[in-house]
Amino acid sequence: MKPIEELVAEFHNIVTDAIQRYVIDDGKSVAAIAILFSGGNDSTVLAHLFRTRASHAIHINTGIGIEQTREFVRTTCADWKLPLIEKTPPAGSTYRELVLDQGFPGPGHHWKMYQRLKERGLRAARRDLVARPRSERVVFLAGRRRDESKRRMNIPEMERSGSTVWVSPLAN
């Protein structure tokens, strides 16, 4: 097992490499570095490790979790003086409304629920942070780990989608 200091340096190097590859080498500027902060263990570790490097934290309030978790995210960001962007699904697309309309989602509806409850909020947060999408990029730091599940076993450490650079420093 590597010493913690070495692991932390590796995490930061992944972010630095992503910014170099997808922002600087492309002649763009960084609009923001945002931690995706759900309040779970992985995102809390990520937030702790990158709180001084990030310009913002983003919490997608899906309405599924408990209020204590949302309050933990809000309090933690306030204590760290890290600006928090909290997004909720638009009317008609909340979890409750989707369940009442279509029933409880099974595994086949995971993507639809993700898209409705999280992805739309992430796109809205990106729009809040990126004023000039042709010349700026936002860096989203995610706490995804490859050993979490089969579905995540091949997640890349870094990738770009439009003006968003996705970085998963804890992937390995």
Side-chain angles (χ1 to χ4, degrees), residues 13-155:
N13 287 339
I14 291 168
V15 173
T16 299
D17 291 349
I19 292 170
Q20 182 67 47
R21 179 184 296 175
Y22 295 115
V23 181
I24 296 168
D25 289 353
D26 285 350
K28 309 296 182 190
S29 62
V30 175
I33 297 175
I35 298 163
L36 305 182
F37 193 10
S38 69
N41 291 338
D42 295 329
S43 73
T44 299
V45 168
L46 184 77
H48 181 74
L49 291 170
F50 288 94
R51 68 185 187 193
T52 59
R53 194 166 178 182
S55 59
H56 297 80
I58 297 172
H59 180 74
I60 305 301
N61 178 350
T62 63
I64 297 171
I66 59 173
E67 184 58 31
Q68 290 89 338
T69 301
R70 293 187 282 274
E71 192 53 42
F72 168 74
V73 169
R74 294 176 192 128
T75 301
T76 300
C77 289
D79 289 348
W80 290 346
K81 296 177 179 38
L82 182 62
L84 175 64
I85 297 171
E86 184 173 345
K87 295 294 183 183
T88 56
S93 291
T94 67
Y95 181 75
R96 182 178 192 281
E97 290 164 326
L98 291 170
V99 168
L100 289 173
D101 182 50
Q102 300 170 20
F104 284 100
H109 282 97
H110 173 81
W111 177 248
K112 181 178 185 177
M113 297 306 274
Y114 174 82
Q115 191 269 337
R116 295 276 178 90
L117 299 176
K118 289 188 180 181
E119 190 175 280
R120 288 179 181 177
L122 291 170
R123 278 192 250 137
R126 184 199 67 225
R127 286 191 301 271
D128 289 351
L129 295 169
V130 177
R132 297 178 307 279
R134 293 182 190 264
S135 62
E136 296 178 329
R137 302 250 164 92
V138 64
V139 178
F140 281 171
L141 303 180
R144 303 177 299 177
R145 294 179 299 108
R146 291 179 179 153
D147 64 357
E148 280 183 278
S149 67
K150 277 187 172 184
R151 197 182 43 174
R152 290 191 173 180
M153 66 190 311
N154 294 314
I155 59 164

